[in-house]
Amino acid sequence: MAEVELDSVSKIYPKNVKAVDNVSLTASDGEFLVLVGPSGCGKTTTLRMIAGLEEITSGSLRIGGKLANDMEPKDRDVAMVFQNYALYPHMKAFDNMAFGLRARKTPESEVKTRVLEVAEKLGLDELLDRKPGALSGGQRQRVAFGRAIARRPAVFLMDEPLSNLDARLRVTMRRELALLHRELGTTTIYVTHDQVEAMTLGDRVCVMNEGLIRQVGTPKEVYDHPVDRFVGEFIGSPSMNFLEGEKTEEAGDACFAMGDCTLPLSEELKNIPAGKTILGARPEDFSLATGNVKDSQYGLLEGMLEMLEDVGEARLLHVRVANSLLVAKVTERPEVEIGSKVSLTVDSERCHLFDPETGKNLSV
Ligand SMILES: Nc1ncnc2c1ncn2[C@@H]1O[C@H](COP(=O)(O)OP(=O)(O)OP(=O)(O)O)[C@@H](O)[C@H]1O
Ligand SMILES: [Mg+2]
């Protein structure tokens, strides 16, 4: 097992495409670190540099404490799992899984023991004689995982390994991956643009955008305390709501004013200067207002219900308030019709204020 350390690593492709910009990041020994971010933000490039499939333009990479910038891929003791499985189509599942071991001149008896052991772990025992063409997508991906695991590398690098699978299989494989990691304890760097995968699998999550790291933290830290608007919006589904308004004061209390609505803010946000600001609140932080607060405007967001989506365990209310459209996730079944007025309250303790210019979270 090994620690992977990137220190001020950049990658500039020809024609001056800066794919990765001064990234410093450490996956500690045994950690499951997830890189997440929108398409083109540099996730694959980062992983390929660690694997040795892409040259590092500047900065240093250490694997297990050793400088690895110029190390041959085969000497890095890392195994990569790709989105498209990258299996050899003419080889049986067994030989695909044995490939890395044989390439390293492992004795054939040892190859057999290890492949069979991994095949059992992954439920592939019955399929070892089949070629990839005769396997389902999920089975192929298992073989690809098996090939990586059989080698017992110090580090797993996984690039969206589940994204070609259907939604149900993805959930199953996600659970299996989590269990495997618990059992093997191998340092894993896992790329996804699926924020649910990021939140559920990662010991820590690294959110990237445009080649830059925006935030690194535990899933809870990143979800509850996004450092900026980008992270707040990217992590969580449906997205965080952003409402334009003003930070004001009412009878000594910090408030957020938007159109005719005024919301109380938590004590924590009191010292933020008055003026234009953006309030961030997650869908689940809203509730439908009940009878006893109806008399007062204060603390209520009044708007028009534009759409209602029933997602089974909750209802998503799309509500137009002043100039903004917000999404509230509530567990009750509101007796309101589309086009009619609804009143919402928001949990002031969970609200954030963002700088309208820089997008920085002023409350962290
Ligand atoms: N071989 C290459 N030559 C030039 N530019 C490249 C090359 N590979 C990637 N890029 C560019 O580098 C940037 C980062 O690409 P990368 O593949 O790392 O993104 P990603 O985060 O993995 O995206 P996705 O989620 O779509 O897989 C993009 O702007 C991409 O166009
Ligand atoms: Mg990619």
Side-chain angles (χ1 to χ4, degrees):
M1 286 197 279
E3 180 180 277
V4 177
E5 189 187 355
L6 299 155
D7 188 9
S8 309
V9 166
S10 296
K11 174 69 190 182
I12 302 172
Y13 284 115
K15 299 201 178 131
N16 216 18
V17 178
K18 199 163 206 176
V20 173
D21 191 356
N22 207 20
V23 159
S24 294
L25 180 69
T26 302
S28 49
D29 192 11
E31 184 175 27
F32 200 116
L33 178 69
V34 177
L35 303 185
V36 66
S39 186
C41 73
K43 305 179 296 292
T44 296
T45 303
T46 304
L47 219 55
R48 288 175 58 86
M49 285 192 287
I50 300 170
L53 303 173
E54 206 69 71
E55 206 172 305
I56 295 170
T57 310
S58 64
S60 64
L61 165 72
R62 287 192 158 71
I63 301 174
K66 275 193 257 167
L67 190 66
N69 288 49
D70 300 318
M71 220 183 254
E72 287 292 317
K74 66 175 174 42
D75 297 331
R76 295 189 184 202
D77 204 12
V78 303
M80 191 145 166
V81 182
F82 301 89
Q83 173 178 1
N84 60 4
Y85 325 132
L87 299 175
Y88 297 104
H90 59 283
M91 285 185 195
K92 292 176 179 174
F94 183 98
D95 299 315
N96 263 291
M97 287 166 67
F99 189 83
L101 293 170
R102 287 177 178 156
R104 279 165 187 72
K105 311 260 183 287
T106 313
E108 199 53 35
S109 60
E110 170 84 9
V111 170
K112 193 169 177 204
T113 316
R114 286 221 219 161
V115 170
L116 292 180
E117 183 192 305
V118 171
E120 196 197 336
K121 226 191 269 307
L122 294 171
L124 290 167
D125 328 45
E126 310 285 314
L127 305 170
L128 290 172
D129 282 336
R130 295 207 203 160
K131 289 184 182 167
L135 296 171
S136 71
Q139 291 164 342
R140 278 180 221 176
Q141 193 53 294
R142 266 173 225 270
V143 175
F145 282 125
R147 181 174 56 187
I149 295 166
R151 272 189 44 205
R152 299 188 190 154
V155 179
F156 289 128
L157 303 172
M158 303 189 178
D159 193 358
E160 311 213 23
L162 307 185
S163 60
N164 280 354
L165 307 178
D166 71 44
R168 276 176 68 106
L169 196 52
R170 227 161 37 221
V171 175
T172 315
M173 291 290 283
R174 203 166 73 206
R175 184 176 56 226
E176 287 182 19
L177 267 182
L179 290 172
L180 262 174
H181 180 254
R182 194 180 297 175
E183 186 187 329
L184 303 173
T186 308
T187 312
T188 304
I189 305 182
Y190 185 100
V191 163
T192 180
H193 56 243
D194 179 334
Q195 45 89 27
V196 178
E197 265 176 37
M199 297 284 292
T200 52
L201 284 171
D203 291 318
R204 282 187 311 151
V205 175
C206 169
V207 186
M208 293 181 71
N209 189 33
E210 294 176 347
L212 295 165
I213 293 184
R214 302 298 282 255
Q215 186 168 5
V216 186
T218 63
K220 187 169 162 48
E221 275 163 4
V222 171
Y223 190 82
D224 288 343
H225 305 287
V227 294
D228 58 24
R229 208 179 140 155
F230 173 82
V231 177
E233 190 162 12
F234 191 78
I235 300 287
S237 176
S239 259
M240 184 180 267
N241 294 289
F242 298 100
L243 308 174
E244 281 178 41
E246 267 188 67
K247 158 98 194 307
T248 59
E249 217 172 272
E250 201 124 321
D253 290 328
C255 292
F256 175 79
M258 183 176 82
D260 296 336
C261 307
T262 307
L263 297 174
L265 291 173
S266 70
E267 196 64 19
E268 213 182 307
L269 302 177
K270 210 168 174 171
N271 294 329
I272 294 171
K276 278 199 176 8
T277 188
I278 291 172
L279 180 113
R282 297 209 176 272
E284 67 273 20
D285 298 333
F286 292 94
S287 314
L288 276 169
T290 49
N292 49 11
V293 285
K294 255 186 188 138
D295 306 333
S296 142
Q297 267 287 90
Y298 185 71
L300 280 186
L301 276 174
E302 307 226 283
M304 200 261 286
L305 184 66
E306 284 203 353
M307 191 171 61
L308 188 152
E309 289 175 283
D310 199 322
V311 291
E313 84 285 4
R315 257 59 53 200
L316 302 179
L317 312 180
H318 298 246
V319 181
R320 168 88 42 203
V321 184
N323 288 326
S324 308
L325 183 66
L326 67 83
V327 178
K329 186 174 181 180
V330 300
T331 45
E332 55 274 60
R333 281 179 199 278
E335 286 167 24
V336 278
E337 310 224 330
I338 306 289
S340 63
K341 251 173 99 175
V342 282
S343 302
L344 299 169
T345 57
V346 62
D347 182 351
S348 61
E349 296 295 323
R350 307 231 358 127
C351 289
H352 305 273
L353 290 184
F354 294 94
D355 185 311
E357 304 291 329
T358 63
K360 289 272 168 250
N361 190 343
L362 301 167
S363 35
V364 290

